[in-house]
Amino acid sequence: MHSTIQLIDLLGAGALLLWGLRMIKTGVMRAFGASLRLWIAKGTGNRFTAVLSGIVATLALQSSTATAVITASFASNGAIKPRMAQAVMLGANVGTSIAAVILSLDVHWFGSAMILVGVTLFSLSKYARGKGVGRAVLGLGLMLLALQLVGNVTDPLRESEVMAAILSGLSDAPAFALILAAVLAFVSSSSLAVVLFVALLASAGIVPPPLAVTLVAGANLGGAIPPLLATLHEGTEARRLTLANLVVRAIGAIVLTIFAVPAAALLQTILPDADDLTIAAHIGFNLALLVLFLPLLGPIGKLASLAIPKPAAPERGTRYLDDTVLDTPTIALAAAERETLRVSDIVLRMLEGSLDALRKPGPATRSTVSLLDDDVDAFNQAIKLYLTRLDQTELDEDDARRSAEIMSFAINLEHVGDIVESGLCDVAGKIAKRQLKFSADGLAEIVALYEKTILNMQLSQTVFMTRDPQLARQLVAAKVDVRRLEARSAGTHIQRVRERVPASVETSSMHLDLLRDLKRINAHLASVAYPILETKGELDESRLRPNAVLEPKTASE
């Protein structure tokens, strides 16, 4: 029973350690995410400043994995050259080893102080930056507290015969020890946490020095796997970067494992303390990788290019949705806005294409619009999933409202695309197939409503991005104008049918279908204005005027 309690205490302390790491990362990203990302992007003028950028970013985030994923996203969109991005990765590896030195210091009182300061800052701050700083400080305090708990739990394990037998088996099987540490680092998404845990086991005398060195090598190897998996669906450069980082760490880990015994003996002569020896092995490993591979950035990049060749066809997919900024709601929402605006441009092209199909009937336009509609559906699905993941973070009221507005506009754009493909283009296809023509007046009315809809589409894009109340009022007023224009055109068309105008009689149902679908499109477009007017208190729950509500009639009436 006592062993079970010790195991629970150990697992709980490990979970607290990982949670503290997560709080530091999210806190720093929410407080300084935009500035930090800009600093990483600009600090890559040469390979030495790129290394420094990686070190500083990792010290701030306490996570080389986070730095790696951010850098990969920059490499994917061309903000960082591939060679400089690899230099940032080497710097990130060094940064996580420096973080291990700081966190391994015996300052348990400092952890308690950080918890007190972090809670105070988070509770008293009214702005996102202050709360982010408080979150990061609290995370640091929780990490130090977790390390203290791990130390308390591992002290009794020194005398455990079972633990001694397990570790003896690991010492005799260095390959298995390497894989075990790599798996732990992969599962926890943190080589830092595993290295700190190994250091505590070594300081308690549970892990002998050669095994500690092997476990450190495995932790560094496993820490390179999460960034690779995170970029599997990113651009070619992002995948090349994370694959190269994994290969570099794998080479270093295998070499260190082979020479673990002499490396441990050398470190013992310099640092007899087992705790210091483990941290020194971690630092030495990453410094060695930096010295050996920094001059070889060119060959590394060429090997990565051979492993992941550029696709023959251009890559299709979202351009602006970046998972690495989900911890920074402001940037994530801006990315979702840009992607949604891109979708609206595609829908606008569909709308213009359907008008061209009416003017110059042909099958090519229908197929082009269908392909565009497939893109709209795919991109909207990606936007909705992205915003759903963002909503799972702690958003303030304004960010949550903006996320809902983006989601709503994206859904309405998807509806507009469906109407264009299945409604407007379907009518254009029937006109072409049956060799029909609208009357001159009828076509002029339809074109006028089309042009009004296109203008409203462009206005809705501006309202979406600026959230300007005056433009929102114009968009709602334009919807009313469209309704009147549609009613007027329907009336004149019915009159032409009564007068037996041949073209109007033949195209009557199609004419009315076009008017109805264009009115529906304008209703979807105008919806982007409603949240803006609602916050200004300018939107009624009902469109009926108060004096238009009728009283029930009496029997005498």
Side-chain angles (χ1 to χ4, degrees):
M1 184 65 181
H2 182 67
S3 301
T4 304
I5 294 174
Q6 281 185 323
L7 178 61
I8 293 173
D9 288 340
L10 186 61
L11 293 175
L16 184 62
L17 180 65
L18 294 175
W19 188 257
L21 271 171
R22 182 181 183 278
M23 290 192 69
I24 292 175
K25 184 182 76 172
T26 57
V28 170
M29 288 301 294
R30 293 185 184 188
F32 309 106
S35 302
L36 185 64
R37 291 171 63 85
L38 185 63
W39 194 84
I40 293 174
K42 288 188 174 181
T44 55
N46 58 66
R47 62 186 67 193
F48 299 105
T49 58
V51 168
L52 181 61
S53 297
I55 293 173
V56 173
T58 304
L59 286 174
L61 295 171
Q62 297 292 302
S63 172
S64 59
T65 298
T67 305
V69 175
I70 291 173
T71 307
S73 70
F74 283 152
S76 179
N77 60 33
I80 298 179
K81 295 179 180 179
R83 291 187 183 184
M84 297 302 102
Q86 188 61 53
V88 173
M89 303 286 262
L90 292 173
N93 297 338
V94 175
T96 192
S97 61
I98 297 174
V101 174
I102 298 172
L103 293 173
S104 64
L105 298 176
D106 184 17
V107 283
H108 59 275
W109 60 269
F110 188 67
S112 301
M114 290 298 96
I115 292 174
L116 177 61
V117 173
V119 171
T120 303
L121 280 175
F122 188 86
S123 301
L124 298 181
S125 298
K126 297 181 180 179
Y127 300 101
R129 172 160 291 189
K131 287 187 176 294
V133 172
R135 181 187 295 270
V137 173
L138 176 58
L140 178 59
L142 291 178
M143 281 194 68
L144 294 172
L145 175 61
L147 291 172
Q148 185 180 355
L149 293 174
V150 171
N152 294 337
V153 174
T154 54
D155 278 342
L157 295 178
R158 187 182 309 184
E159 308 299 329
S160 172
E161 295 181 2
V162 175
M163 183 62 66
I166 293 174
L167 294 176
S168 175
L170 285 178
S171 298
D172 296 334
F176 182 76
L178 178 74
I179 295 172
L180 176 63
V183 170
L184 290 175
F186 164 64
V187 171
S188 64
S189 294
S190 174
S191 60
L192 176 60
V194 176
V195 169
L196 291 172
F197 181 65
V198 172
L200 286 169
L201 293 177
S203 65
I206 300 172
V207 174
L211 179 57
V213 171
T214 302
L215 293 173
V216 166
N220 280 276
L221 172 60
I225 299 175
L228 177 64
L229 296 180
T231 57
L232 286 179
H233 301 291
E234 297 290 333
T236 302
E237 292 299 339
R239 298 197 301 275
R240 288 174 178 173
L241 178 65
T242 52
L243 176 63
N245 182 55
L246 177 61
V247 171
V248 166
R249 288 210 202 182
I251 293 172
I254 293 171
V255 172
L256 183 58
T257 300
I258 293 173
F259 296 100
V261 174
L266 176 62
L267 289 172
Q268 276 185 297
T269 60
I270 303 172
L271 299 168
D273 185 87
D275 188 5
D276 294 339
L277 182 146
T278 304
I279 302 300
H282 187 39
I283 295 175
F285 176 84
N286 288 294
L287 285 177
L289 292 184
L290 176 63
V291 172
L292 289 175
F293 289 100
L294 188 61
L296 302 176
L297 296 180
I300 292 173
K302 290 180 181 179
L303 289 175
S305 300
L306 291 175
I308 305 178
K310 202 168 188 65
E315 297 182 23
R316 296 179 64 186
T318 57
R319 293 180 183 174
Y320 305 111
L321 302 183
D322 185 354
D323 288 345
T324 66
V325 301
L326 287 173
D327 290 326
T328 312
T330 303
I331 302 178
L333 288 172
E337 287 175 356
R338 294 178 70 188
E339 197 67 50
T340 305
L341 195 62
R342 179 189 173 206
V343 172
S344 71
D345 286 335
I346 297 174
V347 175
L348 181 59
R349 285 166 54 196
M350 293 174 62
L351 190 59
E352 292 170 339
S354 67
L355 176 57
D356 291 338
L358 282 178
R359 287 170 167 166
K360 300 176 182 178
T365 302
R366 177 66 185 272
S367 60
T368 301
V369 170
S370 295
L371 289 174
L372 291 176
D373 188 57
D374 291 341
D375 288 341
V376 170
D377 293 341
F379 296 155
N380 268 287
Q381 181 69 9
I383 292 169
K384 287 184 281 189
L385 291 175
Y386 185 79
L387 290 174
T388 300
R389 291 197 297 273
L390 176 63
D391 290 343
Q392 292 173 354
T393 63
E394 296 179 12
L395 299 180
D396 59 32
E397 186 178 348
D398 290 338
D399 288 341
R401 184 185 302 112
R402 186 54 177 162
S403 176
E405 290 174 2
I406 297 171
M407 179 86 75
S408 175
F409 190 49
I411 292 172
N412 278 291
L413 287 174
E414 187 173 9
H415 291 328
V416 171
D418 292 339
I419 294 170
V420 172
E421 186 204 18
S422 61
L424 302 182
C425 285
D426 186 55
V427 170
K430 290 178 181 178
I431 292 290
K433 182 178 180 180
R434 300 176 187 178
Q435 297 293 307
L436 300 176
K437 286 187 178 181
F438 292 105
S439 66
D441 291 339
L443 181 60
E445 292 168 1
I446 292 170
V447 169
L449 189 54
Y450 250 109
E451 291 175 345
K452 180 68 173 176
T453 303
I454 290 172
L455 289 176
N456 289 343
M457 179 81 188
Q458 295 168 338
L459 179 58
S460 71
Q461 293 176 320
T462 306
V463 171
F464 172 69
M465 292 302 297
T466 64
R467 305 190 81 250
D468 184 284
Q470 184 174 353
L471 294 178
R473 295 185 202 102
Q474 291 181 19
L475 184 58
V476 173
K479 174 190 171 185
V480 177
D481 291 341
V482 165
R483 190 165 65 245
R484 292 170 179 165
L485 190 60
E486 180 265 343
R488 190 181 309 122
S489 177
T492 55
H493 170 74
I494 295 299
Q495 183 60 35
R496 287 192 295 271
V497 171
R498 288 171 178 165
E499 295 173 356
R500 299 296 179 182
V501 176
S504 296
V505 172
E506 291 179 332
T507 62
S508 180
S509 62
M510 289 173 277
H511 184 111
L512 295 175
D513 285 344
L514 286 175
L515 297 181
R516 179 204 60 200
D517 287 340
L518 288 171
K519 185 174 73 169
R520 288 171 58 204
I521 288 173
N522 280 275
H524 285 298
L525 297 177
S527 65
V528 73
Y530 296 150
I532 302 170
L533 299 179
E534 187 175 8
T535 57
K536 297 292 182 180
E538 300 180 18
L539 192 66
D540 292 330
E541 293 185 5
S542 172
R543 282 165 42 190
L544 289 174
R545 295 190 303 273
N547 59 358
V549 179
L550 299 178
E551 295 292 337
K553 291 186 177 182
T554 63
S556 61
E557 292 176 296

